[in-house]
Amino acid sequence: SSITVQQGGKLAHTANGATRLYSLKLNITGNLTLQSGATIYLDGLGYGGGYTSNGWGPGRGNYANNTGSGAGHGGAGGASNNFVGGIIYDSLTDPGDLGSGGAGGWNLAGGSGGGLLRVVAGGIIYLNGLITANGSDGANSGILSSGGGAGEAINLTAGVIVGTGTLRANGGYTVGNGGGGGGGLIAL
């Protein structure tokens, strides 16, 4: 069977927190069609950001002296002015984990990581819409900042992938003395 996400349609999974509970995994014997104007939206649905604490996940951002560093995933998280960012983890060729959460700042939440999409299609993937799995931005109180969440994994497997769509797995932004989130992983 095949799956079509029509224009204006949206697929997502439930947000995660401290542990990995949710992801979007599609095993399709036929085609996956993501029409123009359709979205698979996984921004900020990965491991949670910390609140005046470390973030969550293998590449979590670190909290120190009231600021948070960015989380890592496909790229290292950005350092805060007090601590290094989160580590790089996951497979480059077959990624399968969520983006980690950035550390919080003083009374600030860190950005959550991006969610996880894994598609195995027996037919063709027609990608004309948007697949977005960015980490959430960190917060700023003027002086203190939290870290951004890391981008997630987008893993698409098919005999043929065609289209003019867009794939995003960016790390979350921050300003001030926090660190930005590392980018995610995209494998086709």
Side-chain angles (χ1 to χ4, degrees):
S1 65
S2 295
I3 295 176
T4 299
V5 183
Q6 297 179 346
Q7 182 177 11
K10 181 174 157 182
L11 289 180
H13 65 68
T14 302
N16 290 273
T19 59
R20 179 178 152 184
L21 298 174
Y22 308 104
S23 64
L24 183 57
K25 295 182 180 181
L26 303 173
N27 292 307
I28 307 162
T29 56
N31 302 326
L32 171 63
T33 302
L34 190 63
Q35 294 181 347
S36 178
T39 304
I40 298 178
Y41 184 86
L42 304 170
D43 289 358
L45 300 180
Y47 293 108
Y51 184 81
T52 314
S53 65
N54 292 340
W56 298 100
R60 71 178 182 248
N62 300 291
Y63 174 78
N65 297 323
N66 300 323
T67 62
S69 67
H73 190 187
S80 69
N81 65 344
N82 293 305
F83 211 84
V84 298
I87 64 169
I88 296 171
Y89 63 97
D90 214 346
S91 167
L92 292 176
T93 57
D94 189 25
D97 207 348
L98 306 166
S100 290
W106 180 251
N107 287 327
L108 297 170
S112 295
L116 169 62
L117 173 66
R118 183 184 291 265
V119 176
V120 177
I124 299 171
I125 295 177
Y126 296 97
L127 176 59
N128 291 303
L130 171 65
I131 300 176
T132 180
N134 299 324
S136 297
D137 293 340
N140 181 296
S141 67
I143 298 172
L144 303 174
S145 299
S146 63
E152 67 96 4
I154 298 171
N155 190 336
L156 307 177
T157 303
V160 177
I161 300 173
V162 297
T164 59
T166 302
L167 302 172
R168 294 184 190 145
N170 300 316
Y173 177 77
T174 194
V175 295
N177 53 12
L185 296 162
I186 298 174
L188 306 175

